[in-house]
Amino acid sequence: QEQLVESGGGLVEPGGSLRLSCAASGFAFSGYSMSWYRQAPGKERELVASILSPSETTYYSDDVEARFTIFRENAKSTVYLQMNRLKPEDTAVYYCQRPNGKLWGQGTQVTVSS
């Protein structure tokens, strides 16, 4: 019953912000690294951010560096993606992933449009 469930997506104007959440269940969340991916129409799914366990070192793609922040609350078994200064090219379905075992959530739509 390992599961990841994303939430927080929606429609925002360019320059706006969203915070995505990924709630984990069925496994010992704090012991695992976690990642966020996104997939835009006609494009390959791409890694946008990761947070490692146990070091909590973070990594970001060049496209989102300085605009997005990944963080986690282990007591809530939740990993977040704070997205600021959003651009139309950020429009995509965003997926939470546990790299160990390639466990994926169902995705949440983010649309950035004026």
Side-chain angles (χ1 to χ4, degrees):
Q1 220 227 168
E2 296 180 329
Q3 193 173 35
L4 301 173
V5 180
E6 301 96 333
S7 61
L11 174 63
V12 296
E13 293 186 350
S17 297
L18 281 175
R19 180 177 290 182
L20 306 183
S21 299
C22 172
S25 60
F27 64 95
F29 175 79
S30 65
Y32 291 90
S33 299
M34 298 295 296
S35 297
W36 286 95
Y37 285 74
R38 67 184 181 187
Q39 188 166 25
K43 294 187 177 181
E44 188 174 343
R45 190 171 298 187
E46 64 174 345
L47 176 66
V48 299
S50 295
I51 182 164
L52 275 56
S53 180
S55 69
E56 297 193 9
T57 301
T58 57
Y59 296 91
Y60 301 95
S61 72
D62 290 342
D63 289 340
V64 309
E65 182 76 57
R67 297 189 298 118
F68 291 9
T69 303
I70 186 171
F71 64 100
R72 65 198 297 166
E73 295 186 52
N74 288 333
K76 294 183 177 181
S77 295
T78 301
V79 61
Y80 304 89
L81 186 67
Q82 178 67 46
M83 306 185 295
N84 299 322
R85 306 197 309 278
L86 284 160
K87 304 175 180 179
E89 49 263 49
D90 296 319
T91 296
V93 178
Y94 283 72
Y95 298 90
C96 181
Q97 188 222 36
R98 187 190 73 193
N100 189 311
K102 293 183 171 60
L103 179 67
W104 294 91
Q106 83 291 340
T108 186
Q109 176 72 48
V110 172
T111 303
V112 185
S113 177
S114 58

